[in-house]
Amino acid sequence: MASAISNTSPLLYLYRIQALHMLPHLFDSVTTPPAVVDELDEGRRKGFDVPNPVDYPWLEIRQPVALPSEWLALDLGAGELATMTLALEMPGHIVLLDDMLARRTAHAAGLTVWGTLRILLEMKARGLMTRIEPLVDQLSDAGLWMTADIRQRILALAGEHPSPADRR
């Protein structure tokens, strides 16, 4: 199995659909930077239901050494920047990101990127769940932006073809 470095959104969305506990079944290790912990702590202080990284002993918190200066000009959050920096410092890890600019930046840096929807596809492919359609719908309800086309494509990749009445 591979190892992963996660940004805030995959942790948050998986938590909201009660699937965060599945990450150790997909990865040998999961790491996140303190900036992600800070973002989650801020959400909790504001009254949002967010995961507390200390509740997940399998989640390693690790500070990146040095942020690439060219990334500072990008419109990315501290968590995204720190997550991508850790991924550069830990070659071979999969970086978990949902934000499109962060994903493009990570791809340009040669990083392997998975989003939350890819995580669900991998869970199904490895037999960790039989259907992802309910989780895809829960993700949408939890705030993960996806078009109807993306939803259809994900379900088709999973081998799940909803009836026309079920389409959102």
Side-chain angles (χ1 to χ4, degrees):
M1 285 195 303
S3 295
I5 301 167
S6 186
N7 185 40
T8 308
S9 62
L11 297 175
L12 175 64
Y13 288 128
L14 291 171
Y15 171 80
R16 288 190 172 163
I17 64 169
Q18 299 178 3
L20 184 55
H21 67 284
M22 299 298 283
L23 283 181
H25 298 283
L26 286 179
F27 301 105
D28 287 325
S29 66
V30 182
T31 304
T32 198
V36 166
V37 175
D38 293 344
E39 289 177 354
L40 292 168
D41 287 345
E42 180 64 21
R44 208 169 13 273
R45 278 192 294 278
K46 291 180 177 180
F48 295 105
D49 183 25
V50 300
N52 186 346
V54 300
D55 293 340
Y56 302 90
W58 48 262
L59 183 59
E60 178 188 356
I61 300 167
R62 181 171 173 176
Q63 181 69 42
V65 176
L67 180 67
S69 59
E70 62 271 17
W71 286 356
L72 295 174
L74 300 174
D75 186 25
L76 295 172
E80 293 157 341
L81 291 169
T83 298
M84 292 187 306
T85 300
L86 267 182
L88 286 175
E89 295 172 2
M90 301 170 72
H93 284 63
I94 295 169
V95 62
L96 307 179
L97 294 165
D98 287 318
D99 178 81
M100 189 53 68
L101 177 58
R103 291 170 63 89
R104 286 185 185 138
T105 304
H107 279 295
L111 300 173
T112 301
V113 179
W114 289 12
T116 302
L117 293 170
R118 169 73 184 268
I119 293 168
L120 294 184
L121 287 170
E122 291 294 326
M123 287 178 185
K124 179 162 183 188
R126 295 183 192 185
L128 298 172
M129 58 185 52
T130 57
R131 294 192 56 215
I132 66 167
E133 183 179 16
L135 296 177
V136 169
D137 292 340
Q138 288 174 28
L139 280 173
S140 182
D141 294 342
L144 180 72
W145 181 86
M146 74 181 89
T147 64
D149 288 343
I150 290 172
R151 180 181 182 277
Q152 290 301 103
R153 201 169 343 155
I154 292 298
L155 294 178
L157 288 169
E160 300 176 28
H161 302 282
S163 68
D166 290 338
R167 292 189 181 136
R168 294 181 132 191

